[in-house]
Amino acid sequence: MPGHETRFAGGEFSPTAARVFISYRSKEPDIGLAQQFYESLQAAGHPVFLAGESIRLGDNWSQRVDEALEACDFFLLLLSPQSAVSEMVTEEVRRAKQLRDTRDDHRPGILPIRVNFPFTSPLNYDLRGYLQRIQQREWTTDADTPIILQEVLSLVSGSQESRAWVRDVADSDRSPASSAPSALLPSPYSPVPTPPASHSPPLPIAEPELPEGQVDLASAFYVDRVPREGSARTTIEAQCYEAIVRPGALIRIKAPRQMGKTSLMARILRHAGDQHHLTVPLSFQIADAAIFNDLDKFLKWFCASVGRRLRLPNKLADYWDDIFGSKDNCTAYFEDYLLATITSPLTLCLDEVDMVFNHPNVASDFFGLLRAWHEAAKNSDLWKKLRLVVVHSTEVYIPMNINQSPFNVGLPIELPEFTAEQVQNLAARHGLRWAATEIEPLMAMVGGHPYLVRVALYHVARQETTLNRLLQTAPTEAGLYGDHLRRHLWNLEQRPEMAMAVKRVVQTSNPVRLQSVQAFQLHSMGLVNLQDNDVTFRCELYRRYFGDRLG
């Protein structure tokens, strides 16, 4: 597109040059490697966006990054241990994948290079979903640089020698039937393993563990949750374990981002596996955007995805008849094939169902189907085999008939924040002998937000900062939460109406009435709490940061 060249540093370029966006973290060896790729690609005549070189003093950084992502032909991802836990990097990958999935030319091509980060090292839950079936290269020493660099140069120049990487990136990522090459990441949807040790975390002290999404099944830092109401002796986990073994069970888990939904889901899957269930976790974030535009295509994808994870052959052609409707075909595929073939109960966990909410034409029919299956289990031994777990971040704002919605039946689970007692217990597991004088100021800043609390405890336990220093810089981009806060700001600036809604919340300390969809979306992001029909900031950290940036 004309004019895009000027958005990348480096002067004049050929109209046929490939535009490259380099995603990296400002630490060695990432930054040095990024600089080498930048200089070599520039010298070869390709416009390159590298934040350290391309964003100038006074630029609006989020706008510059948005423009560069929109314009790029290739997204070169330097995936090191530090970038793999960066919320900004994860967000860049998500947007690159979203752009590619919604374009006819499938730009940008995503080229991940693992930097001192072996294939055996797990990625966080989101990155596993975004990068599944995408070919990756591995960098371990300086000797690897010229080899990988030459492949990248050949690829962006359109050389036939590197078409294999293009084919691996484009074709295998889009084809659900393709087999994954051995160099690819393990699937994030394989059965949840049972940890070798006891399920109980070792106490009171464990080696600090950096929070990076799903809490490992054997982690010492997973905290069982107590419902806001009800008996304090019954944890949310215990309620879910009891429910999932019941025939035809339906569990609904709702909580904002980074509250522990996926970690709880993994533990439900483990418990179901211990009871000899077949287990299938399925995240809707892995589906191409085009799938959500057509009910028939969506339900075919859904059936094929569940069957694939059960390692059953794809028989859509045998069970899909255009004479019948899509929902009837989908039901028949489960009833006459999937459930009829298996001999054990099936626990099916549906994660990120919020993505379906954004497509009302698909959503109402799909969720109505789930409700019908749940009701069928009351009278059918076959449907009793199916146990559903539905995981979402926001309120259900799509209009649905009350008798056709799965969101008013089954066991509802809403994950609360940590209590002061739980934060103190978690501090003790980190080896920190904290009393109320330390717990109270931390919770005054971040509340009981599980992710923010664990980040603080990790860095203090490793003596990389003190609690006082952490609290002083917390609501700034120079502080410990800078990456987290920038991601939220970037997301808000993508949607002016959401940024304006946050500005309204900033302007007063009282609860604010917003449009219901805006309130639900800000709540799903984890930025606000809902109080009846009004909202307030989730914690002081967000009030101070957005008060400065948007106030």
Side-chain angles (χ1 to χ4, degrees), residues 63-79:
Q63 181 180 351
R64 295 283 287 109
V65 171
D66 289 335
E67 290 176 346
L69 276 173
E70 286 277 350
C72 74
D73 300 297
F74 293 95
F75 179 83
L76 184 62
L77 172 63
L78 299 184
L79 194 59

PDB file of all heavy atoms in Angstrom, residues 63-79:
ATOM      1  N   GLN A  63       0.209   4.084  18.638  1.00  0.00           N
ATOM      2  CA  GLN A  63      -0.181   4.333  17.254  1.00  0.00           C
ATOM      3  C   GLN A  63       0.886   3.840  16.287  1.00  0.00           C
ATOM      4  O   GLN A  63       0.574   3.248  15.245  1.00  0.00           O
ATOM      5  CB  GLN A  63      -0.424   5.824  17.041  1.00  0.00           C
ATOM      6  CG  GLN A  63      -0.860   6.184  15.632  1.00  0.00           C
ATOM      7  CD  GLN A  63      -1.089   7.676  15.473  1.00  0.00           C
ATOM      8  OE1 GLN A  63      -1.083   8.432  16.439  1.00  0.00           O
ATOM      9  NE2 GLN A  63      -1.285   8.105  14.237  1.00  0.00           N
ATOM     10  N   ARG A  64       2.146   4.051  16.625  1.00  0.00           N
ATOM     11  CA  ARG A  64       3.246   3.607  15.765  1.00  0.00           C
ATOM     12  C   ARG A  64       3.272   2.075  15.651  1.00  0.00           C
ATOM     13  O   ARG A  64       3.470   1.522  14.569  1.00  0.00           O
ATOM     14  CB  ARG A  64       4.581   4.118  16.320  1.00  0.00           C
ATOM     15  CG  ARG A  64       4.713   5.623  16.304  1.00  0.00           C
ATOM     16  CD  ARG A  64       5.016   6.159  14.907  1.00  0.00           C
ATOM     17  NE  ARG A  64       6.387   5.861  14.531  1.00  0.00           N
ATOM     18  CZ  ARG A  64       6.741   4.963  13.615  1.00  0.00           C
ATOM     19  NH1 ARG A  64       5.831   4.286  12.962  1.00  0.00           N
ATOM     20  NH2 ARG A  64       8.009   4.748  13.332  1.00  0.00           N
ATOM     21  N   VAL A  65       3.078   1.411  16.774  1.00  0.00           N
ATOM     22  CA  VAL A  65       3.059  -0.059  16.754  1.00  0.00           C
ATOM     23  C   VAL A  65       1.872  -0.561  15.942  1.00  0.00           C
ATOM     24  O   VAL A  65       2.001  -1.497  15.139  1.00  0.00           O
ATOM     25  CB  VAL A  65       3.022  -0.621  18.194  1.00  0.00           C
ATOM     26  CG1 VAL A  65       2.783  -2.124  18.181  1.00  0.00           C
ATOM     27  CG2 VAL A  65       4.328  -0.314  18.921  1.00  0.00           C
ATOM     28  N   ASP A  66       0.701   0.063  16.122  1.00  0.00           N
ATOM     29  CA  ASP A  66      -0.479  -0.344  15.361  1.00  0.00           C
ATOM     30  C   ASP A  66      -0.247  -0.203  13.862  1.00  0.00           C
ATOM     31  O   ASP A  66      -0.569  -1.109  13.077  1.00  0.00           O
ATOM     32  CB  ASP A  66      -1.685   0.522  15.764  1.00  0.00           C
ATOM     33  CG  ASP A  66      -2.197   0.202  17.146  1.00  0.00           C
ATOM     34  OD1 ASP A  66      -1.981  -0.932  17.592  1.00  0.00           O
ATOM     35  OD2 ASP A  66      -2.790   1.086  17.774  1.00  0.00           O
ATOM     36  N   GLU A  67       0.300   0.932  13.449  1.00  0.00           N
ATOM     37  CA  GLU A  67       0.549   1.168  12.031  1.00  0.00           C
ATOM     38  C   GLU A  67       1.524   0.140  11.467  1.00  0.00           C
ATOM     39  O   GLU A  67       1.327  -0.374  10.355  1.00  0.00           O
ATOM     40  CB  GLU A  67       1.112   2.580  11.825  1.00  0.00           C
ATOM     41  CG  GLU A  67       0.105   3.693  12.066  1.00  0.00           C
ATOM     42  CD  GLU A  67       0.732   5.065  11.948  1.00  0.00           C
ATOM     43  OE1 GLU A  67       1.982   5.161  11.951  1.00  0.00           O
ATOM     44  OE2 GLU A  67      -0.015   6.054  11.862  1.00  0.00           O
ATOM     45  N   ALA A  68       2.568  -0.146  12.234  1.00  0.00           N
ATOM     46  CA  ALA A  68       3.580  -1.095  11.755  1.00  0.00           C
ATOM     47  C   ALA A  68       3.011  -2.504  11.632  1.00  0.00           C
ATOM     48  O   ALA A  68       3.296  -3.225  10.670  1.00  0.00           O
ATOM     49  CB  ALA A  68       4.788  -1.081  12.690  1.00  0.00           C
ATOM     50  N   LEU A  69       2.194  -2.915  12.592  1.00  0.00           N
ATOM     51  CA  LEU A  69       1.574  -4.242  12.515  1.00  0.00           C
ATOM     52  C   LEU A  69       0.621  -4.331  11.320  1.00  0.00           C
ATOM     53  O   LEU A  69       0.587  -5.335  10.608  1.00  0.00           O
ATOM     54  CB  LEU A  69       0.822  -4.555  13.809  1.00  0.00           C
ATOM     55  CG  LEU A  69       1.641  -5.113  14.965  1.00  0.00           C
ATOM     56  CD1 LEU A  69       0.789  -5.201  16.223  1.00  0.00           C
ATOM     57  CD2 LEU A  69       2.216  -6.481  14.629  1.00  0.00           C
ATOM     58  N   GLU A  70      -0.171  -3.290  11.108  1.00  0.00           N
ATOM     59  CA  GLU A  70      -1.108  -3.271   9.987  1.00  0.00           C
ATOM     60  C   GLU A  70      -0.386  -3.383   8.650  1.00  0.00           C
ATOM     61  O   GLU A  70      -0.872  -4.016   7.715  1.00  0.00           O
ATOM     62  CB  GLU A  70      -1.930  -1.971  10.018  1.00  0.00           C
ATOM     63  CG  GLU A  70      -2.985  -1.926  11.094  1.00  0.00           C
ATOM     64  CD  GLU A  70      -4.266  -2.620  10.691  1.00  0.00           C
ATOM     65  OE1 GLU A  70      -4.392  -2.975   9.506  1.00  0.00           O
ATOM     66  OE2 GLU A  70      -5.121  -2.824  11.559  1.00  0.00           O
ATOM     67  N   ALA A  71       0.804  -2.754   8.556  1.00  0.00           N
ATOM     68  CA  ALA A  71       1.499  -2.664   7.274  1.00  0.00           C
ATOM     69  C   ALA A  71       2.418  -3.851   6.989  1.00  0.00           C
ATOM     70  O   ALA A  71       2.752  -4.099   5.836  1.00  0.00           O
ATOM     71  CB  ALA A  71       2.318  -1.373   7.229  1.00  0.00           C
ATOM     72  N   CYS A  72       2.821  -4.585   8.005  1.00  0.00           N
ATOM     73  CA  CYS A  72       3.908  -5.553   7.809  1.00  0.00           C
ATOM     74  C   CYS A  72       3.466  -6.771   7.011  1.00  0.00           C
ATOM     75  O   CYS A  72       2.304  -7.189   7.044  1.00  0.00           O
ATOM     76  CB  CYS A  72       4.506  -5.971   9.150  1.00  0.00           C
ATOM     77  SG  CYS A  72       3.501  -7.075  10.154  1.00  0.00           S
ATOM     78  N   ASP A  73       4.440  -7.325   6.290  1.00  0.00           N
ATOM     79  CA  ASP A  73       4.242  -8.572   5.545  1.00  0.00           C
ATOM     80  C   ASP A  73       4.698  -9.781   6.349  1.00  0.00           C
ATOM     81  O   ASP A  73       4.217 -10.889   6.134  1.00  0.00           O
ATOM     82  CB  ASP A  73       5.027  -8.527   4.229  1.00  0.00           C
ATOM     83  CG  ASP A  73       4.595  -7.375   3.349  1.00  0.00           C
ATOM     84  OD1 ASP A  73       3.428  -7.363   2.942  1.00  0.00           O
ATOM     85  OD2 ASP A  73       5.421  -6.482   3.088  1.00  0.00           O
ATOM     86  N   PHE A  74       5.674  -9.549   7.258  1.00  0.00           N
ATOM     87  CA  PHE A  74       6.194 -10.615   8.105  1.00  0.00           C
ATOM     88  C   PHE A  74       6.313 -10.110   9.541  1.00  0.00           C
ATOM     89  O   PHE A  74       6.729  -8.973   9.779  1.00  0.00           O
ATOM     90  CB  PHE A  74       7.567 -11.100   7.612  1.00  0.00           C
ATOM     91  CG  PHE A  74       7.519 -11.797   6.290  1.00  0.00           C
ATOM     92  CD1 PHE A  74       7.758 -11.102   5.111  1.00  0.00           C
ATOM     93  CD2 PHE A  74       7.221 -13.156   6.214  1.00  0.00           C
ATOM     94  CE1 PHE A  74       7.705 -11.735   3.891  1.00  0.00           C
ATOM     95  CE2 PHE A  74       7.154 -13.793   4.988  1.00  0.00           C
ATOM     96  CZ  PHE A  74       7.400 -13.086   3.824  1.00  0.00           C
ATOM     97  N   PHE A  75       5.946 -10.988  10.463  1.00  0.00           N
ATOM     98  CA  PHE A  75       6.056 -10.693  11.894  1.00  0.00           C
ATOM     99  C   PHE A  75       7.138 -11.618  12.443  1.00  0.00           C
ATOM    100  O   PHE A  75       6.928 -12.822  12.590  1.00  0.00           O
ATOM    101  CB  PHE A  75       4.709 -10.948  12.581  1.00  0.00           C
ATOM    102  CG  PHE A  75       4.704 -10.701  14.061  1.00  0.00           C
ATOM    103  CD1 PHE A  75       4.535  -9.423  14.582  1.00  0.00           C
ATOM    104  CD2 PHE A  75       4.859 -11.757  14.949  1.00  0.00           C
ATOM    105  CE1 PHE A  75       4.519  -9.203  15.950  1.00  0.00           C
ATOM    106  CE2 PHE A  75       4.843 -11.554  16.319  1.00  0.00           C
ATOM    107  CZ  PHE A  75       4.673 -10.266  16.819  1.00  0.00           C
ATOM    108  N   LEU A  76       8.319 -11.054  12.689  1.00  0.00           N
ATOM    109  CA  LEU A  76       9.465 -11.828  13.152  1.00  0.00           C
ATOM    110  C   LEU A  76       9.495 -11.783  14.679  1.00  0.00           C
ATOM    111  O   LEU A  76       9.732 -10.735  15.274  1.00  0.00           O
ATOM    112  CB  LEU A  76      10.757 -11.241  12.569  1.00  0.00           C
ATOM    113  CG  LEU A  76      12.057 -11.994  12.874  1.00  0.00           C
ATOM    114  CD1 LEU A  76      12.026 -13.399  12.290  1.00  0.00           C
ATOM    115  CD2 LEU A  76      13.254 -11.217  12.328  1.00  0.00           C
ATOM    116  N   LEU A  77       9.262 -12.917  15.293  1.00  0.00           N
ATOM    117  CA  LEU A  77       9.121 -13.002  16.746  1.00  0.00           C
ATOM    118  C   LEU A  77      10.353 -13.640  17.361  1.00  0.00           C
ATOM    119  O   LEU A  77      10.645 -14.812  17.111  1.00  0.00           O
ATOM    120  CB  LEU A  77       7.875 -13.831  17.090  1.00  0.00           C
ATOM    121  CG  LEU A  77       7.662 -14.203  18.557  1.00  0.00           C
ATOM    122  CD1 LEU A  77       7.476 -12.953  19.413  1.00  0.00           C
ATOM    123  CD2 LEU A  77       6.459 -15.134  18.695  1.00  0.00           C
ATOM    124  N   LEU A  78      11.096 -12.855  18.158  1.00  0.00           N
ATOM    125  CA  LEU A  78      12.216 -13.394  18.918  1.00  0.00           C
ATOM    126  C   LEU A  78      11.672 -13.852  20.261  1.00  0.00           C
ATOM    127  O   LEU A  78      11.390 -13.045  21.150  1.00  0.00           O
ATOM    128  CB  LEU A  78      13.303 -12.332  19.089  1.00  0.00           C
ATOM    129  CG  LEU A  78      13.914 -11.808  17.785  1.00  0.00           C
ATOM    130  CD1 LEU A  78      15.055 -10.828  18.082  1.00  0.00           C
ATOM    131  CD2 LEU A  78      14.415 -12.953  16.905  1.00  0.00           C
ATOM    132  N   LEU A  79      11.515 -15.153  20.378  1.00  0.00           N
ATOM    133  CA  LEU A  79      10.795 -15.733  21.511  1.00  0.00           C
ATOM    134  C   LEU A  79      11.796 -16.272  22.528  1.00  0.00           C
ATOM    135  O   LEU A  79      12.250 -17.410  22.433  1.00  0.00           O
ATOM    136  CB  LEU A  79       9.884 -16.844  21.010  1.00  0.00           C
ATOM    137  CG  LEU A  79       8.814 -17.372  21.954  1.00  0.00           C
ATOM    138  CD1 LEU A  79       7.884 -16.254  22.385  1.00  0.00           C
ATOM    139  CD2 LEU A  79       8.021 -18.477  21.274  1.00  0.00           C
TER     140      LEU A  79
END
